[in-house]
Amino acid sequence: MALAACQSVEKKAVTDQAKVVSNSGLVCTAAAEVEKALDKVDDLTTASTVADAEAAGAALKKALATFDQAETELQTAKLKEYRDQVEIYEKFVGEIRQNKTMTLEEAAKQLKAKAAPVIAAHEQLAETTACIEVEELTDSSDDRSRDTSKDDGPEKADS
């Protein structure tokens, strides 16, 4: 029965890790939509109409809301994955305690190996998602001036 419970926790960990990967993709997709919406705002000119500006603002607001939701779901998935890995590790520690013939060296080696996924999940939980493409880093200085306006964009949208 303990083996079945352990397998279900490991199966849950695999499922939650798949959600992390999936949600990472959603965050990157949402970030691309924010980029497109910022381009629409950036494309406004003195000849643009109020309706054009409202449409660009609405697109930006919607894209930012989608991005926020995707980030929240990703963080939740990362937290679940971390908790799964901790639970797997704690179960293994219980198994090690039951084996009274194991040397401390053997126990340490096995515990260290089982701690690696916990450490990886913790690092994953702590990291931020960065969605950049190499070609974006080599674009012209025109994009750098636009990047400055992007930093200001979400704050203006909230005002």
Side-chain angles (χ1 to χ4, degrees):
M1 186 161 176
L3 182 60
C6 190
Q7 286 176 343
S8 67
V9 172
E10 289 178 1
K11 192 180 272 188
K12 183 179 170 190
V14 169
T15 300
D16 287 342
Q17 181 59 31
K19 286 181 184 175
V20 168
V21 171
S22 174
N23 288 341
S24 294
L26 292 176
V27 168
C28 291
T29 300
E33 290 302 314
V34 169
E35 180 79 23
K36 286 179 189 176
L38 284 169
D39 287 343
K40 288 180 182 179
V41 171
D42 207 26
D43 290 343
L44 293 173
T45 66
T46 55
S48 298
T49 65
V50 172
D52 293 337
E54 287 176 339
L60 180 58
K61 185 176 180 177
K62 180 180 177 185
L64 287 171
T66 301
F67 182 73
D68 287 344
Q69 180 64 33
E71 278 191 323
T72 300
E73 289 176 15
L74 175 59
Q75 200 61 16
T76 299
K78 285 181 178 181
L79 181 59
K80 285 181 180 179
E81 169 60 11
Y82 175 69
R83 287 180 178 164
D84 293 343
Q85 293 301 334
V86 168
E87 187 175 347
I88 291 168
Y89 181 76
E90 288 174 346
K91 286 182 184 281
F92 185 74
V93 169
E95 292 171 15
I96 293 290
R97 283 191 183 123
Q98 299 300 317
N99 188 346
K100 303 298 182 189
T101 62
M102 185 180 292
T103 67
L104 293 176
E105 182 180 6
E106 291 170 332
K109 284 180 183 177
Q110 289 188 23
L111 289 170
K112 186 174 181 177
K114 284 291 187 175
V118 176
I119 293 167
H122 179 265
E123 289 172 355
Q124 180 180 357
L125 181 62
E127 75 185 10
T128 58
T129 303
C131 307
I132 60 170
E133 296 178 20
V134 175
E135 62 202 26
E136 288 179 358
L137 298 175
T138 60
D139 283 347
S140 68
S141 62
D142 180 55
D143 283 342
R144 278 185 245 139
S145 66
R146 190 179 65 188
D147 286 344
T148 304
S149 67
K150 287 179 195 168
D151 291 339
D152 297 335
E155 292 173 14
K156 289 180 181 176
D158 290 341
S159 303

